Amino acid sequence: MSPDQFKADPDSDVLIIDTKKEENRFSRFELIRWWDQKLLQNANILVIGAGALGNEIIKNLALTGIGNILLVDFDQIEPSNLSRSILFRESDRGRYKADVAAERAREIFPDINIRSLSVNVVTDFGIGAFFWADVILGGLDNREARLAINQNSLRCGKTWIDGAIEGLSGIARVFGPDGPCYECTMSEVDWKVLNARKSCTLLTREEMMSGKTPTTPTIASLIAAVQCQEAIKLLHGLEVITGRGFFFEGLSFYQDIITYKRKAECFSHERYTPVVELDAEARKLTLGEALKIIRKDLGEFAIMELRHEVLTGFSCSECGVDVEYHSSLGRVSDADAVCPDCGKQRFPIMSHQFDGSEPWPDMTLAKFGIPDFDVFIGSDGERQIYYLLNGDRQRILGPLVSKVQP
Ligand SMILES: [Zn+2]
Ligand SMILES: [Zn+2]
């Protein structure tokens, strides 16, 4: 439809209203020819970020009757959030954003199946939920989290829709599993910023995650609306702006559709296949047991790989001493890295490959910093098998596990 054809009353895109038909909550949507409320009721959406964009995303999804949402955000509500977050109230200060947003979504749409998780999506969130989701929506304010979501979405063959806002401007971008991805769009400056923040000790994650960007509720509303409309279209199999971005500059009213190119040297385009669903939990399965499973499938020389590095110890260059230390990187602070003997900052020792020679065969995967419902990889150098810790499914998805309504 061209702009001069647009009028705010029924035209070729909508059905004629049957005035005798009784109206329900979603009656007006169903006047749109291609709209399928049942399809939305059965949809699984993973929303990451419950800040300014996330509030608008959750509000829109609840209003449109999306049935199943997993919402992930590890922040708590601060006074500055109250001016940009429709779902938060003064009395919510100090509570987890994800929990409050989920509660308010249930008030908007009581039939919604929404679950909140207050974890760090980069370090403490398994990839299993990306397999579960039909589409992923991001409302984030930092490159590191975007990069992690991008990689996980591509690994699972899923589309993710990113939103970014600053001042009165913003962009909504759709990244499909086969086209250009978020990493393909990253400039040298983006990498410099990311690496500069990572370079010191690799442990200043908390600081990295708390970028303070000037944003307004108006631009959050506009960009989140585009993200949600694209998600709804995608769920219906309609064409969306995959590999492109809708850019809007509010001060000058400049807008554009940006087309991205896939970079040949981009590292993010790895697909996790084949996936073997194991009836095992990260909190119970040991490194030794995991290696046994891998070697049964791939032979005695196969090794275990992880999808990201984990901390296995600290090294003090001053004292010349290495000590063992196991934790998720998301739960390690600079204070933990201080050497108890000399008081200097120690360097983290990281690993993402295990061949059974390590002295921890009885340590659980969780102790290594592997989150619930995650994947570990078996590799014999040529073939890879991706093992999903499916025993954690219920713990992460809760009521979302049995999602399909009759
Ligand atoms: Zn890429
Ligand atoms: Zn020392």
Side-chain angles (χ1 to χ4, degrees), residues 150 154 179-185 262-263 266-269:
N150 182 65
L154 279 117
C181 76
Y182 171 70
E183 187 176 334
C184 293
T185 72
R262 183 163 164 172
K263 272 188 199 153
C266 178
F267 289 113
S268 281
H269 296 268

Coordinates of all heavy atoms in Angstrom, one line a residue, residues 150 154 179-185 262-263 266-269, ligand 1:
N150 N 23.5 -13.0 19.3 CA 23.7 -13.2 17.8 C 24.2 -14.6 17.6 O 23.7 -15.4 16.8 CB 24.6 -12.1 17.3 CG 24.8 -12.2 15.8 OD1 23.9 -12.0 15.0 ND2 26.1 -12.5 15.4
L154 N 22.2 -17.8 15.8 CA 22.7 -18.4 14.6 C 23.0 -19.9 14.8 O 22.7 -20.7 13.9 CB 23.9 -17.7 14.1 CG 23.6 -16.4 13.3 CD1 24.1 -15.2 13.9 CD2 24.1 -16.5 11.9
G179 N 21.6 -15.0 6.6 CA 22.0 -13.8 6.0 C 23.1 -13.1 6.8 O 23.8 -13.7 7.6
P180 N 23.3 -11.8 6.6 CA 24.3 -11.1 7.4 C 23.8 -11.1 8.9 O 22.6 -11.0 9.1 CB 24.3 -9.7 6.8 CG 23.0 -9.6 6.0 CD 22.7 -11.0 5.6
C181 N 24.8 -11.1 9.8 CA 24.4 -11.2 11.2 C 24.9 -9.9 11.9 O 25.5 -9.1 11.3 CB 25.0 -12.4 11.8 SG 26.8 -12.3 12.2
Y182 N 24.6 -9.8 13.2 CA 25.0 -8.7 13.9 C 26.6 -8.5 13.9 O 27.0 -7.4 13.7 CB 24.6 -8.8 15.4 CG 25.2 -7.7 16.3 CD1 24.8 -6.4 16.1 CD2 26.2 -8.0 17.2 CE1 25.3 -5.4 16.9 CE2 26.7 -7.0 18.0 CZ 26.3 -5.7 17.8 OH 26.9 -4.7 18.6
E183 N 27.3 -9.6 14.0 CA 28.8 -9.5 14.0 C 29.2 -8.9 12.6 O 30.2 -8.2 12.6 CB 29.4 -10.8 14.3 CG 30.9 -10.7 14.4 CD 31.7 -11.9 14.9 OE1 31.0 -12.8 15.5 OE2 32.8 -12.1 14.5
C184 N 28.5 -9.3 11.5 CA 28.9 -8.8 10.2 C 28.8 -7.3 10.2 O 29.5 -6.6 9.4 CB 28.0 -9.4 9.1 SG 28.1 -11.2 8.8
T185 N 27.9 -6.7 11.0 CA 27.7 -5.3 10.9 C 28.7 -4.5 11.8 O 28.7 -3.3 11.8 CB 26.3 -4.9 11.4 OG1 26.2 -5.1 12.9 CG2 25.2 -5.7 10.8
R262 N 26.9 -9.7 4.3 CA 27.6 -10.8 5.1 C 29.1 -10.7 4.9 O 29.5 -10.6 3.7 CB 27.0 -12.1 4.6 CG 27.6 -13.3 5.5 CD 26.8 -14.5 5.4 NE 27.6 -15.6 5.8 CZ 27.1 -16.9 6.0 NH1 25.9 -17.1 5.7 NH2 27.9 -17.8 6.5
K263 N 29.8 -10.7 6.0 CA 31.3 -10.7 5.9 C 31.8 -12.1 5.8 O 31.4 -13.0 6.6 CB 31.8 -10.1 7.2 CG 32.0 -8.6 7.1 CD 32.7 -8.0 8.3 CE 32.5 -6.6 8.5 NZ 32.6 -6.1 9.8
C266 N 33.4 -13.5 8.9 CA 32.7 -13.5 10.2 C 32.6 -14.8 10.9 O 32.3 -15.8 10.2 CB 31.2 -13.0 9.9 SG 30.2 -13.0 11.4
F267 N 32.9 -14.9 12.2 CA 33.0 -16.1 12.9 C 31.7 -16.6 13.5 O 31.6 -17.7 14.0 CB 34.0 -15.9 14.1 CG 35.4 -15.8 13.7 CD1 36.1 -14.6 13.9 CD2 36.1 -16.9 13.1 CE1 37.4 -14.5 13.5 CE2 37.4 -16.7 12.7 CZ 38.1 -15.5 12.9
S268 N 30.6 -15.9 13.3 CA 29.4 -16.2 14.1 C 28.5 -17.2 13.4 O 27.5 -17.5 13.9 CB 28.6 -14.9 14.4 OG 29.2 -14.3 15.5
H269 N 28.8 -17.6 12.2 CA 27.9 -18.4 11.4 C 28.0 -19.9 11.5 O 27.8 -20.7 10.6 CB 28.0 -18.0 9.9 CG 27.6 -16.6 9.7 ND1 26.3 -16.2 9.4 CD2 28.4 -15.4 9.8 CE1 26.3 -14.8 9.2 NE2 27.5 -14.4 9.5
Ligands
ZN1 ZN 28.1 -12.6 10.5

